[in-house]
């Protein structure tokens, strides 16, 4: 397995675990922060551009579709980051707010954070045992 795959699995895994746990401990603050971000177009633009750049960097550096589950999952995370960044960048602020409302972020918060935590646990475990 590629050293880059292992590095990215560890990095993304630990990142997902830490973010999910901290956000779950501070749900009210996390939801309020995300809502405030969406209603702040300049800051939202910055986050979208950085997300797109991070996703593109992962795609360019790690676009591996074979070799087991771990390299594919790492590649998928990069693609999802890039697609999300580009998609949000293409939307107007009003459309972004509608997407946010449609996802029912506040209501399904623990589901989203639970999925992030599970992804992080998988990536971390797979990265450190590879």
């Amino acid at each position: 397995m590629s050293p880059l795959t292992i590095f990215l699995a560890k990095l993304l895994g630990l990142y997902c675990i830490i973010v999910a746990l901290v956000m779950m401990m501070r749900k009210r603050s996390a939801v309020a922060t995300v809502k405030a971000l969406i209603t702040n177009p300049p800051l939202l633009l910055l986050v979208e551009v950085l997300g797109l750049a991070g996703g593109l960097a992962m795609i360019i550096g790690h676009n591996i579709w074979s070799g087991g589950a771990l390299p594919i999952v790492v590649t998928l995370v990069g693609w999802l980051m890039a697609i999300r960044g580009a998609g949000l960048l293409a939307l107007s602020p009003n459309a972004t707010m509608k997407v946010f409302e449609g996802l029912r972020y506040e209501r399904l918060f623990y589901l989203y954070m639970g999925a992030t935590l599970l992804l992080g646990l998988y990536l971390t475990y797979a990265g450190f045992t590879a």
Side-chain angles (χ1 to χ4, degrees):
M1 184 157 321
S2 147
L4 180 59
T5 298
I6 295 168
F7 169 77
L8 289 172
K10 291 175 182 178
L11 174 70
L12 293 169
L14 292 171
Y15 172 83
C16 287
I17 290 170
I18 293 166
V19 168
L21 290 175
V22 169
M23 288 181 73
M24 283 193 279
M25 289 187 302
R26 301 177 180 167
K27 178 188 177 189
R28 191 173 304 154
S29 173
V31 170
T33 300
V34 171
K35 283 183 180 179
L37 170 67
I38 290 172
T39 60
N40 185 338
L43 187 56
L44 182 60
L45 175 65
L46 177 64
V47 170
E48 293 163 348
V49 168
L50 291 175
L52 176 59
L56 289 174
M58 286 186 57
I59 290 168
I60 291 167
H62 190 280
N63 196 27
I64 300 171
W65 294 98
S66 62
L70 184 59
I72 293 171
V73 170
V74 169
T75 297
L76 281 172
V77 170
W79 275 97
L80 290 174
M81 286 173 58
I83 291 167
R84 182 187 65 191
L88 289 174
L89 198 56
L91 294 176
S92 69
N94 287 340
T96 301
M97 181 57 87
K98 288 181 182 176
V99 168
F100 176 74
E101 290 168 356
L103 292 173
R104 294 186 273 163
Y105 183 74
E106 186 168 6
R107 184 170 181 217
L108 300 174
F109 177 81
Y110 288 112
L111 178 67
Y112 293 132
M113 290 304 106
T116 301
L117 180 61
L118 287 175
L119 175 64
L121 290 170
Y122 167 72
L123 288 171
T124 302
Y125 175 78
F128 280 98
T129 59

